[in-house]
């Protein structure tokens, strides 16, 4: 597929994939979500396991360099975050449920860090695609903040572009033997 995914350029592809998988006409209307909350490998696997998620891709978003490489992003000079781009069936899973996974997957009070990973590429960001997504993102952030003593540092910004990461990063943990089966609750082990 195209190295640069801007706007909904590949929604038609996902519609066709959904139809080929035997989805009903009503469920073939997919929506898109893009989030960043640390190393994209484990975040992607969490979403792969979520019923209603049709496709995932890992890549880079929120920066200023077109078609960055992993090495450029890790060097911290592109402004990009490691992100997961998700196409989901809203008849099965809501955007708010996707954000529940996001909020539980990381500590949103640590700037530019997720676990032992440090750097601006590991920052917490919700890239909204619609005004409704922005509203839901802000409401869930307020809810999360109400339960914490430290400030939530998650950015909520408009989506502009997503650049898929190199092929070897796609479904990395699944390729390494971890289950991506829908509903799987096995612990996710991240390794490099």
């Amino acid at each position: 597929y195209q190295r640069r995914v801007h706007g909904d350029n590949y929604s038609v592809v996902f519609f066709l994939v959904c139809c080929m998988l035997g989805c009903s006409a009503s469920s073939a209307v997919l929506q898109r979500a893009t989030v960043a909350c640390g190393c994209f490998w484990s975040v992607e696997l969490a979403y792969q396991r979520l019923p209603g998620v049709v496709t995932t891709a890992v890549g880079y978003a929120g920066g200023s360099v077109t078609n960055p490489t992993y090495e450029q992003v890790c060097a911290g000079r592109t402004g990009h975050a490691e992100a997961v781009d998700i196409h989901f069936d809203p008849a099965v899973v809501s955007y708010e449920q996707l954000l529940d996974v996001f909020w539980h997957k990381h500590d949103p009070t640590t700037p530019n860090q997720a676990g032992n990973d440090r750097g601006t590429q590991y920052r917490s960001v919700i890239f909204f695609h619609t005004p409704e997504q922005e509203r839901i993102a802000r409401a869930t952030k307020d809810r999360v903040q109400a339960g914490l003593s430290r400030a939530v540092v998650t950015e909520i910004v408009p989506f502009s572009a997503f650049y898929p990461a190199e092929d070897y990063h796609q479904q990395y943990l699944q390729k390494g033997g971890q289950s991506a089966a829908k509903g799987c609750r096995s612990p996710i082990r991240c390794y490099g």
Side-chain angles (χ1 to χ4, degrees):
Y1 51 88
Q2 288 180 322
R3 179 82 164 91
R4 179 174 191 213
V5 180
H6 181 74
D8 280 329
N9 287 350
Y10 68 139
S11 291
V12 170
V13 172
F14 291 103
F15 175 81
L16 294 173
V17 167
C18 191
C19 290
M20 289 180 348
L21 293 174
C23 302
S24 69
S26 64
S27 66
V29 179
L30 301 180
Q31 292 183 16
R32 185 175 183 189
T34 309
V35 298
C37 59
C39 175
F40 49 32
W41 293 340
S42 68
V43 178
E44 179 183 39
L45 186 58
Y47 283 110
Q48 284 178 278
R49 293 174 169 183
L50 189 63
V53 170
V54 177
T55 62
T56 60
V58 298
Y60 317 110
S64 60
V65 174
T66 302
N67 294 320
T69 65
Y70 181 69
E71 291 73 23
Q72 289 173 315
V73 172
C74 287
R77 294 187 298 264
T78 67
H80 286 290
E82 289 191 12
V84 179
D85 200 46
I86 304 153
H87 282 77
F88 65 100
D89 181 344
V92 178
V93 63
S94 69
Y95 183 70
E96 188 166 349
Q97 289 171 308
L98 292 176
L99 293 184
D100 286 344
V101 171
F102 169 84
W103 293 116
H104 287 96
K105 189 71 185 107
H106 73 301
D107 178 355
T109 67
T110 55
N112 301 324
Q113 178 182 352
N116 293 326
D117 296 323
R118 296 171 191 262
T120 58
Q121 71 270 28
Y122 300 116
R123 70 188 182 276
S124 177
V125 188
I126 299 169
F127 299 95
F128 62 86
H129 292 262
T130 66
E132 178 67 4
Q133 284 188 355
E134 179 183 18
R135 184 192 65 72
I136 293 168
R138 293 192 186 286
T140 62
K141 180 179 179 181
D142 290 345
R143 241 187 345 261
V144 168
Q145 181 61 72
L148 298 172
S149 59
R150 294 180 12 196
V152 171
V153 297
T154 301
E155 301 170 31
I156 299 174
V157 299
F159 174 86
S160 60
F162 176 80
Y163 302 96
E166 296 77 359
D167 286 343
Y168 70 90
H169 287 295
Q170 305 301 328
Q171 294 80 46
Y172 184 84
L173 296 180
Q174 180 185 9
K175 290 175 190 172
Q178 294 189 55
S179 175
K182 297 298 182 196
C184 179
R185 299 181 63 81
S186 298
I188 295 174
R189 300 169 318 282
C190 199
Y191 45 82

